[in-house]
Amino acid sequence: MLVISRRPGQSFLIGRDIEVFVVEADGSRLRIGINAPRGVHVLRRELLAHFDAENSRPSQNGSAIQQAVVSLATTWGATDESVHGAN
């Protein structure tokens, strides 16, 4: 694991096309901004873990969860292809 120090207003790169900005640091809370190509999915780990847990449970509303994720992603500007994956 690489650990780096940055101050608000500074950034670092992941590869050549993903830039992570430190927007604000306040005590134990850090706000970051991420510039990435549209095809790159950026999710908080706990959100992904929540959806994985929901999808692993036998349920009649599994498709409702998938529809909610697609709806959120579409609201955030993702294309249908980037949400569902290219076939």
Side-chain angles (χ1 to χ4, degrees):
M1 174 190 302
L2 172 65
V3 178
I4 62 174
S5 297
R6 300 278 77 195
R7 295 181 187 272
Q10 295 180 325
S11 65
F12 61 91
L13 295 172
I14 300 174
R16 291 189 171 267
D17 55 356
I18 301 173
E19 187 170 14
V20 179
F21 294 89
V22 177
V23 176
E24 180 181 1
D26 182 23
S28 64
R29 191 167 197 142
L30 180 67
R31 292 186 61 197
I32 61 171
I34 303 168
N35 258 347
R38 259 195 199 281
V40 174
H41 298 278
V42 178
L43 286 176
R44 295 187 328 249
R45 181 176 297 277
E46 65 272 15
L47 185 61
L48 183 61
H50 172 76
F51 287 125
D52 286 347
E54 288 292 322
N55 286 335
S56 67
R57 278 196 235 160
S59 147
Q60 295 176 341
N61 68 350
S63 62
I65 293 169
Q66 182 179 7
Q67 289 172 351
V69 171
V70 169
S71 175
L72 281 172
T74 303
T75 300
W76 293 337
T79 63
D80 192 49
E81 183 177 280
S82 68
V83 173
H84 295 289
N87 291 330

